[in-house]
Structure formats: C-alpha cells, structure tokens
Amino acid sequence: MSYRKLVNFTLFVAGWWTALLFGNALALIALFLVLMVHFILWRDVRDIFLILGFIFGGFGVEWAFIANGVQDYHSNLPPAWTICIWAMLATTVRYSLSWLVSKPRWAALAGLLFAPAFYFNSVQFGPAGWGRPMWECLLAIALVWSALAALISGVLVPAIEQMEAAESPMS
C-alpha cells in the first residue's frame, strides 16, 4: 500500500471517529480537511461525482434506516455527522479500497462484515441508538451494505472510471 493510500484510509478513520464522537460541527470541519487533503493528493475531478453520489445515496440509506427503525438518531432526518461520514467514505473507494473495485463479490462480503461493526460503534460510542432489537438492526445493515457495496464496486465506480479524466484546475 502506498503512503498516499495509507494517508487516505487514515484520514477516513480519523474523520469517522471525529464525526462520531464530536457531532455535526466537528464532522463538517473533519470533512473539509479530508476533502482538502484528498484533492491535494489526487487531482481527479471524477471523485466529485462519487462524493456527491455518496452524499445523496447516504442520505437515502440513513433515512430508510430511520424510517424502518434500524437506527435511531432522535430525529426524523439523518444528522449531518452521518452524511459527512458517507462523504469521507467516498474518498476511499477509488484509492485505499481500490482492491474491491470491479470485484462485487468481495465488496459484498466486506460490506456484510464491516458495515455492522461501524454502525455498532456508532451506537456504543456515539449518539445513535437501535430502533429495534440489536440483532435485527445488524442483520438489516449487513444485508443492505452487502448489496450496496456490490453495486458500488461493480457498477458505480467502473462507470465513473470510464468517464474521461478531466484536468483539474488545481494542477
């Protein structure tokens, strides 16, 4: 793993913990820092489409989790810190998690195993709660993320990578 990929993943994890532990204001600051470093390391404007897709898709997934009692954020809408985490996750997909791109079975397995752990930690250490019995929530999260990771790996990222790489004005 190159140092840039290590920085990429480390920033995501640090941003995730910051958002989880300190809430909306610091999540937005962490997102700004992660995006700033990301676009310094990789000047590929195609990442903007991926990040926007994750923001809107993440809002939809989190809202569905709220509506179906999987997660309880004490609100009818997903909090900003959760959407910031989705945006920070998007910065890893083509870089530190690139080994999963075009491998939807491996991505599905990773989503099945790792997503429930991240959501479990959001309940244990953060302001989220379970809306149903924990096992039902973790099962729903695992199944949704398994399908979502396969879709991202097998369809979304390959489609974005086929786009012509535009030269960034930052160069």
Side-chain angles (χ1 to χ4, degrees), residues 66 71-79 81 123 126-131:
I66 291 169
Q71 288 277 258
D72 182 8
Y73 295 116
H74 312 292
S75 171
N76 293 329
L77 295 173
W81 65 268
V123 171
W130 303 119

Side-chain angles (χ1 to χ4, degrees), residues 43-47 94 160-168:
R43 297 174 182 216
D44 192 338
V45 288
R46 293 177 294 180
D47 291 337
R94 293 182 61 223
I160 285 175
E161 289 185 347
Q162 286 181 351
M163 294 170 56
E164 186 173 324
E167 189 64 30
S168 170

Side-chain angles (χ1 to χ4, degrees), residues 112-142:
L112 185 76
L113 298 176
F114 294 115
F118 277 90
Y119 279 84
F120 180 81
N121 283 332
S122 74
V123 171
Q124 295 302 309
F125 298 106
W130 303 119
R132 297 175 176 269
M134 181 176 60
W135 73 269
E136 288 179 21
C137 297
L138 292 174
L139 178 62
I141 290 164

